């Protein structure tokens, strides 16, 4: 932890300018030598233990804030704005931080990409920082990032909880309107590929990944969030994916393991009871896969094939267009 005599700002950073103002530069240097503080940008430090113990998105956010602390009136944009909006990401995170440029010309320098300003951007405030709104962020991510990365973020932005706990961050109409307002523009085909595939009912990133894999593998498109009443349990369950005409349903397990201990055992028993009841009610076969199965493609293909969901020979498998 940072020395109690060092000033720490509201985001948890130690700034050399503030340290200098209270006459504690020697304390700062001592903590740097002891590896207690980590330098993220010139003049911006963070507690090393906190930073290294955080997840990838939290560390990315810390780096973004460190960049912003060096600038006057920064506006987060693109992937960085999407992260600040709380959208999930999959795969390798970009090494760069994205900001909105002050004018119509963009540039790339010292790990920062400044995206050219068009004048159509809508700005919002996130934790006292300025950022483009979620629609602008998703559109730019779709222009610059791989299709899967962009689709996971778009699905999350559109997500409408089943029981209406909170409204979606944006709608499909919002994305389409923003797309049309920008036409023509570079990489518009990549953005269109995301908008055409994004849905409001993907509860988790593994469902997004799975849909993309179905398309790549050329298997029939399933129904999503298929409702099945279970009278004996007194409730209705929603299946991740269902192929009623094939008598198959699919369950995408986001976690590789259930953990250990009594609570994990209870979850496993409940899941087994749920699956048995669905099978008894529908007579369908269950295909269940993990994140790794879907990520590696071939295991998912084999799992689906064993359950009776095979490549549809009437159409060729679709290779998602490049997002670059």
């Amino acid at each position: 932890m940072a020395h109690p005599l060092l000033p720490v700002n509201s985001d948890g950073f130690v700034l050399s300018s503030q340290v200098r103002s209270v006459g504690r530069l020697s304390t700062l240097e001592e903590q740097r030598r002891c590896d207690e503080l980590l330098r993220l940008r010139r003049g911006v430090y963070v507690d090393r233990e906190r930073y290294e113990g955080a997840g990838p998105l939290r560390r990315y956010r810390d780096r973004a804030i460190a960049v912003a602390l060096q600038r006057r009136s920064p506006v987060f944009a693109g992937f960085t704005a999407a992260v600040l909006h709380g959208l999930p990401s999959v795969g390798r995170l970009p090494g760069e931080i994205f900001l909105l440029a002050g004018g119509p010309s963009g540039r790339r320098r010292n790990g920062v990409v400044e995206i050219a300003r068009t004048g159509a951007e809508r700005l919002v405030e996130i934790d006292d920082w300025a950022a483009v709104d979620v629609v602008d962020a998703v559109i730019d991510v779709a222009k610059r990032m791989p299709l899967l990365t962009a689709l996971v973020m778009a699905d999350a932005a559109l997500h409408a909880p089943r029981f209406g706990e909170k409204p979606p961050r944006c709608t499909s109409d919002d994305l389409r309107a923003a797309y049309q307002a920008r036409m023509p523009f570079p990489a518009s085909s990549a953005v269109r590929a995301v908008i055409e595939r994004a849905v409001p009912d993907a509860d988790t990133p593994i469902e997004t990944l799975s849909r993309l894999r179905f398309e790549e593998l050329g298997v029939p498109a399933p129904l999503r969030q298929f409702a099945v009443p279970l009278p004996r349990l007194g409730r209705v369950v929603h299946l991740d994916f269902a192929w009623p005409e094939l008598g198959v349903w699919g369950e995408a397990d986001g976690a590789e393991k259930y953990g250990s201990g009594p609570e994990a055992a209870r979850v496993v028993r409940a899941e087994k009871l749920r699956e048995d009841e669905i099978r008894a009610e529908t007579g369908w076969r269950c295909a269940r896969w993990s994140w790794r199965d879907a990520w590696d493609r071939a295991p998912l293909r084999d799992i689906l094939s064993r359950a009776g969901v095979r490549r549809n020979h009437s159409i060729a498998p679709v290779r998602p267009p490049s997002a670059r």
Side-chain angles (χ1 to χ4, degrees), residues 96-129:
E96 297 165 313
I97 303 302
F98 297 86
L99 299 176
L100 191 63
S105 298
R107 69 173 183 171
R108 185 187 304 261
R109 183 181 179 187
N110 295 333
V112 178
V113 175
E114 294 185 6
I115 299 172
R117 189 182 291 256
T118 66
E121 296 85 5
R122 290 162 294 185
L123 305 187
V124 296
E125 190 174 281
I126 307 173
D127 297 333
D128 296 326
W129 293 103

Side-chain angles (χ1 to χ4, degrees), residues 122 134-143 145-158 170-183 185-201 208 211-212 215 224 321-323:
R122 290 162 294 185
V134 72
V135 172
D136 288 323
V138 168
I139 293 289
D140 194 77
V141 168
K143 287 172 60 177
M145 299 294 164
L147 177 60
L148 176 60
T149 301
L151 190 56
V152 164
M153 286 186 157
D155 277 0
L158 295 178
C170 67
T171 67
S172 296
D173 287 344
D174 294 333
L175 291 178
R176 293 191 185 97
Y179 171 81
Q180 291 297 335
R182 287 164 172 75
M183 287 294 288
F185 62 92
S188 61
S189 60
V191 177
R192 185 175 66 251
V194 172
I195 293 175
E196 289 175 347
R197 290 165 173 80
V199 299
D201 55 12
T208 304
R211 291 198 334 270
L212 198 55
E215 185 179 347
R224 305 185 306 272
S322 170

Side-chain angles (χ1 to χ4, degrees), residues 304-318:
L304 293 173
S305 180
R306 287 194 296 268
V309 182
R310 301 181 179 89
R311 175 177 172 176
N312 184 348
H313 290 281
S314 65
I315 61 172
V318 176

Side-chain angles (χ1 to χ4, degrees), residues 27 31 48 73 118 192 225 242 298-299 301:
T27 304
Q31 291 214 355
R48 180 182 292 275
S73 303
T118 66
R192 185 175 66 251
Q225 303 302 331
R301 178 199 62 205

Side-chain angles (χ1 to χ4, degrees), residues 233 235 258 261-277:
L233 296 184
R235 62 191 179 105
Y258 289 104
E263 178 60 22
R266 186 194 67 78
V267 172
V268 170
R269 287 194 298 271
E271 183 64 22
K272 180 65 166 61
L273 176 61
R274 175 183 181 273
E275 184 172 320
D276 289 344
E277 288 296 317

Side-chain angles (χ1 to χ4, degrees), residues 2-124:
H3 194 284
L5 295 180
L6 291 180
V8 178
N9 75 1
S10 59
D11 290 299
F13 294 95
V14 174
L15 308 180
S16 59
S17 59
Q18 294 180 352
V19 172
R20 185 180 297 108
S21 69
V22 296
R24 294 290 176 181
L25 282 176
S26 60
T27 304
L28 173 62
E29 290 304 316
E30 179 185 353
Q31 291 214 355
R32 287 189 62 188
R33 287 194 299 272
C34 296
D35 278 341
E36 294 177 17
L37 286 178
L38 177 67
R39 178 181 180 269
L40 293 185
R41 302 284 293 188
R42 187 174 66 180
V44 183
Y45 303 87
V46 67
D47 180 78
R48 180 182 292 275
E49 185 177 352
R50 188 204 89 176
Y51 181 84
E52 295 181 347
L57 283 179
R58 174 58 188 269
R59 292 197 297 271
Y60 182 86
R61 185 184 185 280
D62 277 353
R63 292 196 293 111
I65 300 300
V67 167
L69 286 168
Q70 294 182 311
R71 296 171 178 248
R72 181 177 299 175
S73 303
V75 179
F76 292 112
F79 183 88
T80 308
V83 170
L84 264 69
H85 277 290
L87 302 184
S89 182
V90 300
R92 181 176 297 178
L93 297 177
E96 297 165 313
I97 303 302
F98 297 86
L99 299 176
L100 191 63
S105 298
R107 69 173 183 171
R108 185 187 304 261
R109 183 181 179 187
N110 295 333
V112 178
V113 175
E114 294 185 6
I115 299 172
R117 189 182 291 256
T118 66
E121 296 85 5
R122 290 162 294 185
L123 305 187
V124 296

